[in-house]
Amino acid sequence: MWLADKTAVITGGGNGIGREIARRFALEGARIISVDIDAAANAETARIIRESGGLCEPAEGDVSQAQDVERAFQTAGNVDVLVNNAAACPNDGWLHEVPEESWDRILAICLKSVYLCSRVALKQMMARRAGAIVNISSVNALTGIHLAAYTAAKGAIISLTRLLALQYGPYGIRVNAICPGTIMTESARLHYEKHPEAKASLLALYPGGAFGEPSDIAECALYLASDRAKFMNGSIVVVDGGMSAVHRIESLYPDA
């Protein structure tokens, strides 16, 4: 097993990509601490993992709040792997249309949470001179698509990932990031069922004519978290089906 006897904290583990990462890590022997503000969804993640014979302890909390993060890590104990996955992605549109409170909340959930969780995890990992952090960024960080606040936060995650790799590499800690393209989580499916025109416009940007699945990101996260990726540090791994290689973005801006 790739993560036997490891403890992994996964933020935003209550659904979507986070749940699939938690499930996949558990199948590889990790003890999972799933952190999510949605207690019911988080409990469902724990149920799914336990029914498959894995170990999962749900920790309810808002990862943009220091006290909630501290409480989650107290539940975890010594942490070997941290996956910073929690995110908020409302349709915040163009910058001049983004309310200040929306900007602050998106950056808190997407970016401040990475600071808060990594700060706690790094102190533990430094003491043991070992550990892996996987940050979930986005293809939005690499190319202009939409969502001003979300894009700003995800771009900052890439810069922070590279800095942490430099600072903490001497302590045996690896920090890498994944940039997913459009991933068909359950919430994404529901959204595109209501907005088929948006789905068609976005799908046209993918050379293979298909979106990704949560398992695509989970498999990449598993590799980066495992010792098999021992020589990967500060890497930004793009998992987007070729979308960022070349695309026709004008279709998303019909009024420009």
Side-chain angles (χ1 to χ4, degrees), residues 171-231:
Y171 292 92
I173 302 167
R174 297 182 299 104
V175 187
N176 295 291
I178 301 173
C179 291
T182 303
I183 304 298
M184 289 303 286
T185 61
E186 184 58 32
S187 61
R189 292 183 198 280
L190 292 173
H191 174 76
Y192 290 125
E193 284 176 4
K194 295 179 181 177
H195 304 282
E197 71 292 341
K199 179 181 179 180
S201 295
L202 192 57
L203 196 60
L205 305 179
Y206 287 83
F211 297 140
E213 299 291 337
S215 59
D216 296 319
I217 308 306
E219 292 295 337
C220 184
L222 173 62
Y223 178 73
L224 292 175
S226 77
D227 292 338
R228 299 193 181 198
K230 62 183 178 61
F231 200 52

Side-chain angles (χ1 to χ4, degrees), residues 36-204:
D36 204 291
I37 199 170
D38 187 335
N42 212 26
E44 178 65 8
T45 294
R47 184 194 67 78
I48 291 169
I49 290 172
R50 289 167 180 168
E51 286 190 354
S52 298
L55 300 174
C56 183
E57 299 170 48
E60 180 184 356
D62 181 346
V63 288
S64 71
Q65 300 297 315
Q67 64 271 22
D68 287 8
V69 170
E70 293 283 351
R71 186 168 59 249
F73 275 85
Q74 287 172 4
T75 299
N78 287 332
V79 174
D80 302 290
V81 177
L82 167 64
V83 180
N84 285 307
N85 167 74
C89 184
N91 188 17
D92 62 3
W94 297 61
L95 183 66
H96 71 278
E97 298 174 334
V98 180
E100 183 178 357
E101 61 272 18
S102 178
W103 176 276
D104 289 345
R105 185 59 181 158
I106 293 168
L107 263 70
I109 296 172
C110 293
L111 180 59
K112 185 181 178 183
S113 66
V114 176
Y115 151 67
L116 290 174
C117 293
S118 298
R119 181 177 64 168
V120 179
L122 285 165
K123 290 176 183 177
Q124 296 184 9
M125 293 174 177
M126 288 173 70
R128 300 195 310 278
R129 303 190 73 83
I133 296 176
V134 180
N135 294 324
I136 307 299
S137 180
S138 171
V139 71
N140 288 62
L142 305 175
T143 187
I145 303 174
H146 215 8
L147 306 173
Y150 180 81
T151 296
K154 292 299 187 177
I157 287 173
I158 288 180
S159 295
L160 185 58
T161 295
R162 288 174 169 149
L163 176 62
L164 296 183
L166 171 66
Q167 290 181 327
Y168 296 95
Y171 292 92
I173 302 167
R174 297 182 299 104
V175 187
N176 295 291
I178 301 173
C179 291
T182 303
I183 304 298
M184 289 303 286
T185 61
E186 184 58 32
S187 61
R189 292 183 198 280
L190 292 173
H191 174 76
Y192 290 125
E193 284 176 4
K194 295 179 181 177
H195 304 282
E197 71 292 341
K199 179 181 179 180
S201 295
L202 192 57
L203 196 60

